[in-house]
Amino acid sequence: MRSFRLAAVAASLLLTSIVVTACAASPEGESASPTPMFASDEEAFAAAEATYRAYVDASNQVDLSDPTTFDAALELSAGDLNAADRKVLSAKHADGYTLSGQTVVESITMSDISTLRDNVALAVCLNVSQVDVRDAAGNSSVDPGRNPVQALRVSFAPNPRNLHSLAAVLIEPNEVPSACE
């Protein structure tokens, strides 16, 4: 599991497996039915896919020596995932780690969409073969036996900074890892 998490940090800030839910409360006394965030499953999938691709692109721009480069990726995550990303990035920065290489999204498919289409999960195949994380002494922190293509399940909820968009709230190993073979 440590090698998975290290590969995930190096790849795209994939650091936690804690479920976070985002709920919007109705004003007191109102019993309005929740309105779906997206008009169709296809629209929800497209929004989640665009959000994840932007998250990976922003993560590929992270320079551990420059904390200002963390912001773009952190804007696309929420809850405990965002807190874990912030903690790990700050620690890697403070300890003088370096990150090199690019993460590549090989495929994205729908995993699950809630009834209201505002909680979406994707099955992702993420190629981390070119990514390396090195400590201050120059030693690689990446397990040499890591799988070069990670099978992930990425969950999204409404972004608390912009309720008309999604944020990644959970990234975990996909229960069907053969999906990327």
Side-chain angles (χ1 to χ4, degrees):
M1 188 56 143
R2 179 168 158 44
S3 65
F4 170 78
R5 284 196 176 178
L6 187 52
V9 168
S12 63
L13 314 176
L14 314 177
L15 306 171
T16 188
S17 59
I18 301 168
V19 177
V20 176
T21 56
C23 301
S26 301
E28 228 176 280
E30 218 176 279
S31 61
S33 298
T35 303
M37 184 177 202
F38 301 104
S40 68
D41 289 356
E42 293 76 18
E43 189 179 309
F45 171 77
E49 179 180 21
T51 300
Y52 187 69
R53 287 184 184 279
Y55 180 80
V56 170
D57 290 345
S59 297
N60 279 333
Q61 301 305 311
V62 165
D63 176 350
L64 293 173
S65 69
D66 181 3
T68 63
T69 66
F70 306 168
D71 296 342
L74 292 171
E75 286 295 316
L76 297 167
S77 65
D80 289 344
L81 176 63
N82 182 276
D85 285 350
R86 286 179 188 281
K87 183 178 178 180
V88 168
L89 287 170
S90 293
K92 296 293 182 198
H93 166 73
D95 291 341
Y97 278 74
T98 60
L99 172 64
S100 63
Q102 297 286 300
T103 300
V104 177
V105 175
E106 289 196 349
S107 68
I108 296 178
T109 56
M110 182 52 61
S111 181
D112 185 40
I113 296 180
S114 73
T115 317
L116 296 176
R117 297 188 189 98
D118 59 357
N119 290 301
V120 181
L122 302 175
V124 176
C125 295
L126 192 67
N127 187 321
V128 297
S129 64
Q130 300 303 309
V131 176
D132 194 16
V133 179
R134 295 191 174 265
D135 64 21
N139 301 309
S140 180
S141 299
V142 175
D143 180 348
R146 78 169 170 199
N147 188 339
V149 178
Q150 303 289 315
L152 305 173
R153 184 172 192 274
V154 184
S155 298
F156 299 84
N159 189 329
R161 291 172 294 280
N162 177 357
L163 293 179
H164 301 292
S165 66
L166 296 174
V169 296
L170 174 66
I171 299 173
E172 60 189 337
N174 192 334
E175 293 177 5
V176 186
S178 62
C180 294
E181 294 176 356

